[in-house]
Each structure stands twice: as structure tokens, then as C-alpha cells.
Amino acid sequence: MFAERRQRFLDAIGPGVAVFPAAPVVIRNNDVEHEYRQDSDMQYLSGFEEPESVLVLSNRHPKHRSVLFVRPRDPDREVWDGPRAGVDGAVRDFGVDAAFPIAELDQRLPEYLEDVPRLHYRLMEDAAFDAHVFGAIQRIRGRKRSPARPPSEIVDPTVVLHEMRLHKSADELRIMRRAIEVSRDAHLAAMRVALPGAYEYEVEAEILRVFRAGGSERPAYGSIVGSGPNATVLHYRKNDRRLADGDLLLIDAGCELEFYASDITRTFPVNGRFSDPQKALYEVVLESQLEAIAMTRPGVTLDAIHERVVRVITAGLLRLGLLEGDIEEAIRTEAYKPYYMHRTSHWLGMDVHDVGSYFAGAKPRPLEADVVLTIEPGIYISPSASVDAKWRGIGIRIEDDVRVTTDGAEVMSHDVPKTVADVEAALKNR
Ligand code: GLY
Ligand code: MN
Ligand code: MN
């Protein structure tokens, strides 16, 4: 899978060389590091999960199409940090043509850049690593008595690579389905424990338990477990409030599995039954989401999907008396924005907000088969909004993971309860 991707990437870039560094290790505090996660581009092309590594791809070098620079084996260090692939393991297990110790990068990189017209390297992503690349160019320039020339162009490899990542292969979709299944189980488990009196963090802990028990390495993003008014905070993270009878609970949580993200949101009443105002708003969000899914197919744009959601939500807010006046005017003046302030969709893949351009030239790009996106409308009424008290502090989002098929859409997260009846049924007999 990784070798095939490397080949496809090299075929697409034409004569040149590409350099992809691993994600840097980041200190959390003092001598404690943040949990390490490989850079998604590096992972996509190599499957090599270790830090302090670099992948070089070339279709100009006489012998090496792919090279890994890695940490060498080191019995003393491995006692502390666990086994490393090392130079031999990199070649044996990761299918590259050659591997070298990372300490030899500066000395060896010029060999791969000499007389190559184009270097594919993403500048400014990792400024510390930029210095190694510039240093290699400087070294070649400095060899005045050698005819070798450094690359005359540096181009961004992600223009090609992120197009590849946007379109999901059958293997990638298989992994994403498994990630979504684990997240589904976590949402179902959360519904079981989210009773009045429980704390948001207890619900979060249950979600994380199911993620790990399902084989997920980590959440794909910080889990949002927002009850009552906390559901109106879009990036709520504290997760420390006690659930009260009468609250809605908004859970936005998705696991990462084998480096692929899932991203699911459900909102439900902790006492098992929606109140009338909660239900009225929920039905508006649900209608907008179902309409958005129904129109998702190749050729449609995310802007068009968002516009449909805005129209359904605005109509609902007018119907319920949260907005007044003419619908066209309300849409034109963005009167809905205090209650629906985010976009409807993003790409989903190795990154939760996945890579891939949202434009074709200057225009919104039409959807194509086998891209995966979220559809996640919501309504959020601030506790301090100047509206009838019955609406205040209600926050609702419904988010599914959707694959574009050749003639429509597949809701990959379809079996997490979503209609009022299904949600209430799932909350019975807890
Ligand atoms: N959980 C991040 C998002 O929904 O975009
Ligand atoms: Mn989400
Ligand atoms: Mn999302």
C-alpha cells in the first residue's frame, strides 16, 4: 500500500526529488513529551511511525527511489523507549531501497538533490527542518569545482499529495469504516452512562475506554462532552459539569484508528425524553442534515450543501419565532448566524479536518466519488440570547461521516441513533 502510494506520487511529480520529515517531538512540560503521532503525509507515504526520521523520494537518483533516514538501533536507549526499526529494519520492513542513520542526513542529502531540477518540499511547516534542506542546497552551491547544481525550483509536494489523500482507496475506506464502528460503540456506551447526576468527564472516560478497547490508538480530536449551556460552546473542552435532569448533552467524539479519523456528534436528553422546545429545535437541525445528505453526490459543492442547510435552519428559526421577517432577507442578512455560526462540512481522513483543496481554481470544487466529508449542522442558542427563555442554553449538533458514491452518498455513521424516536428508544432501559 505504501510502496504503491510512493510510486503514484513519483509518477505524478515528474523528474524531481521530494523530502518529507517526520513530525517533531514536542515537549509538554519540563522533560515530558506530548504523545507522539507521526505526520500524516509521512505516514501516508511510508507507514513509518517513529520520530526523527525523514523520507526522501526520487526519480532521478541512479539507485534509490525511496530512502529513509532513521534513528539507528541503540540498546541503551531502547531499554527506555522500546524497540526501533533501525537502518536494517527500515529497509526490511518498510520496503525502501536504502536507509541511513538520521545523523547522516546533512552529509547525504546533497547527493539526492544534485542536478535535480525540482525539489518537492513544503516550506515553513517545520522551520527547524527547513534549515537542513537549505543547508543541503548551500553545500551543493558551495562546491565550486563540481559541475553539480542544486534544484532551481522548490515546489509544494502537497499540491499533488493532498489530492491523493483526499480520494480514499478501498483500503482506506475499510479502515475508516472500522474507526467509525468503534466511535459508534463509544456513542452508544456514552448514552448508557449519561444519566442525570453523572459528570461530563465520566461520560468522556467511557468514550475513551471504548475507543481503546476497540483498538483505537487515540481520539482523533479532543472529545466534546457538553451538557446544558455547555452544548452552545462550539469547542467546549472542560467536560467537568454535572448533568442535570432536563439537559441536552452534546457529544462530539471520534476515534483515530490506524491513523484515520472519525468524527461523530449526537445530542440527546439525559433524562431520556426531549422537552418540547428541545424537540422543536432538534427536528430543525435533523431536517437540515437529512436534506444535506440527500443532495450529496458527485458534482454538488460543499457551498451548495451549506446553503441548503442555512435555508432549512433559517426557515425553522422563523417558524419557531426565533427569527422574524422574510426568509430571503434573513438569509441575505445572515440573521441565522447568531444561532448557526459554523460551516456544514469538512473533508475527513487521516486528519479530522482533512487535507485536499476546497476549490477548483477560484470556484468551490464539485464533489467526486470516494471523498469523505462530514455533514454537521447545528443550532446554538446562547444562555444570554434575547429570546424567549425556553430556548436559551439549548445547543444541538448532528454530525455524520459521509462518503460520496458514484451517484449519491453513503452515511458511514448511519447506525448511531439520530431521529427523535430512535434516540429516545436508545435511552430507554438504562
Ligand atoms: N470535531 C471537530 C469537528 O467537528 O469539526
Ligand atoms: Mn465533530
Ligand atoms: Mn467535524
Side-chain angles (χ1 to χ4, degrees):
M1 184 169 83
F2 299 109
E4 182 272 327
R5 290 172 181 170
R6 292 195 289 268
Q7 187 59 50
R8 202 146 42 91
F9 174 79
L10 281 173
D11 289 345
I13 63 171
V17 60
V19 177
F20 296 96
V25 173
V26 181
I27 295 293
R28 192 182 76 127
N29 57 303
N30 196 9
D31 59 352
V32 177
E33 295 165 359
H34 277 285
E35 182 203 359
Y36 188 74
R37 182 195 183 275
Q38 186 54 281
D39 173 80
S40 295
D41 288 337
M42 173 70 162
Q43 183 68 27
Y44 181 83
L45 288 169
S46 71
F48 195 75
E49 298 185 25
E50 293 183 34
E52 296 178 70
S53 56
V54 175
L55 177 69
V56 177
L57 301 180
S58 173
N59 46 34
R60 291 287 287 229
H61 191 274
K63 293 205 295 269
H64 303 155
R65 310 280 281 177
S66 56
V67 182
L68 272 172
F69 288 86
V70 303
R71 300 177 306 181
R73 299 294 308 267
D74 179 342
D76 289 341
R77 282 314 311 167
E78 290 178 47
V79 167
W80 292 86
D81 298 328
R84 301 171 170 185
V87 169
D88 294 339
V91 173
R92 186 183 63 236
D93 300 335
F94 295 88
V96 290
D97 301 319
F100 302 104
I102 186 71
E104 295 178 15
L105 179 73
D106 288 342
Q107 169 205 331
R108 291 187 181 273
L109 193 52
E111 174 188 337
Y112 293 96
L113 304 193
E114 275 176 8
D115 290 327
V116 173
R118 282 184 147 193
L119 166 61
H120 297 254
Y121 173 70
R122 188 163 166 88
L123 291 165
M124 293 302 291
E125 190 86 354
D126 178 345
F129 192 79
D130 287 353
H132 293 280
V133 174
F134 297 157
I137 291 170
Q138 248 336 51
R139 267 176 193 247
I140 303 169
R141 278 190 199 149
R143 291 178 193 153
K144 300 281 186 225
R145 294 183 192 282
S146 154
R149 292 279 166 273
S152 58
E153 293 176 48
I154 301 179
V155 302
D156 187 342
T158 66
V159 175
V160 168
L161 188 63
H162 291 178
E163 264 311 288
M164 287 172 60
R165 280 180 52 194
L166 176 61
H167 294 88
K168 272 63 180 180
S169 68
D171 285 329
E172 292 180 291
L173 290 169
R174 234 185 325 274
I175 300 169
M176 291 186 78
R177 281 205 180 83
R178 284 174 41 225
I180 289 166
E181 274 170 27
V182 172
S183 295
R184 169 202 65 198
D185 291 346
H187 276 264
L188 293 173
M191 292 175 93
R192 286 193 286 275
V193 301
L195 290 156
Y199 281 88
E200 292 167 348
Y201 50 71
E202 295 180 272
V203 180
E204 180 185 13
E206 179 65 2
I207 290 166
L208 296 177
R209 185 189 68 75
V210 176
F211 283 178
R212 288 298 272 150
S216 148
E217 296 82 10
R218 56 185 81 82
Y221 52 92
S223 308
I224 297 170
V225 182
S227 63
N230 293 339
T232 67
V233 180
L234 296 181
H235 285 170
Y236 178 65
R237 277 306 323 273
K238 276 182 100 170
N239 298 351
D240 64 354
R241 181 178 171 279
R242 199 166 189 186
L243 313 186
D245 196 345
D247 283 349
L248 285 182
L249 179 63
L250 183 156
I251 299 179
D252 184 346
C255 73
E256 179 177 302
L257 191 112
E258 291 176 23
F259 286 90
Y260 286 83
S262 51
D263 183 9
I264 300 174
T265 307
R266 287 294 184 268
T267 310
F268 60 88
V270 300
N271 67 11
R273 302 216 35 110
F274 286 91
S275 70
D276 286 343
Q278 288 168 351
K279 190 188 300 187
L281 285 172
Y282 190 92
E283 294 285 18
V284 173
V285 177
L286 181 60
E287 182 192 352
S288 75
Q289 207 238 11
L290 294 175
E291 285 213 15
I293 290 168
M295 69 183 284
T296 300
R297 63 172 62 83
V300 171
T301 66
L302 295 184
D303 277 17
I305 291 171
H306 181 65
E307 281 163 23
R308 177 72 61 93
V309 162
V310 161
R311 181 165 291 273
V312 174
I313 284 179
T314 305
L317 294 172
L318 285 164
R319 202 162 59 234
L320 298 176
L322 279 145
L323 292 178
E324 284 173 6
D326 169 62
I327 183 161
E328 301 307 332
E329 179 72 0
I331 292 171
R332 197 182 58 75
T333 60
E334 300 187 336
Y336 58 87
K337 268 234 170 126
Y339 310 119
Y340 181 45
M341 59 296 275
H342 60 75
R343 300 282 302 177
T344 301
S345 300
H346 55 79
W347 307 133
L348 184 69
M350 297 185 80
D351 297 315
V352 63
H353 297 159
D354 205 27
V355 295
S357 177
Y358 288 97
F359 297 93
K363 291 209 190 112
R365 116 186 252 159
L367 292 177
E368 296 149 51
D370 289 332
V371 303
V372 179
L373 56 128
T374 65
I375 298 188
E376 50 176 307
I379 294 179
Y380 315 90
I381 317 280
S382 160
S384 59
S386 318
V387 295
D388 191 321
K390 71 181 178 184
W391 305 117
R392 287 186 212 143
I394 297 181
I396 296 163
R397 177 163 65 256
I398 306 173
E399 173 173 33
D400 279 310
D401 302 340
V402 176
R403 174 177 76 96
V404 180
T405 63
T406 50
D407 59 355
E410 171 199 356
V411 181
M412 300 173 81
S413 48
H414 68 93
D415 51 2
V416 189
K418 187 160 78 171
T419 65
V420 167
D422 286 350
V423 169
E424 290 188 346
L427 295 167
K428 275 213 181 100
N429 309 320
R430 290 184 292 170

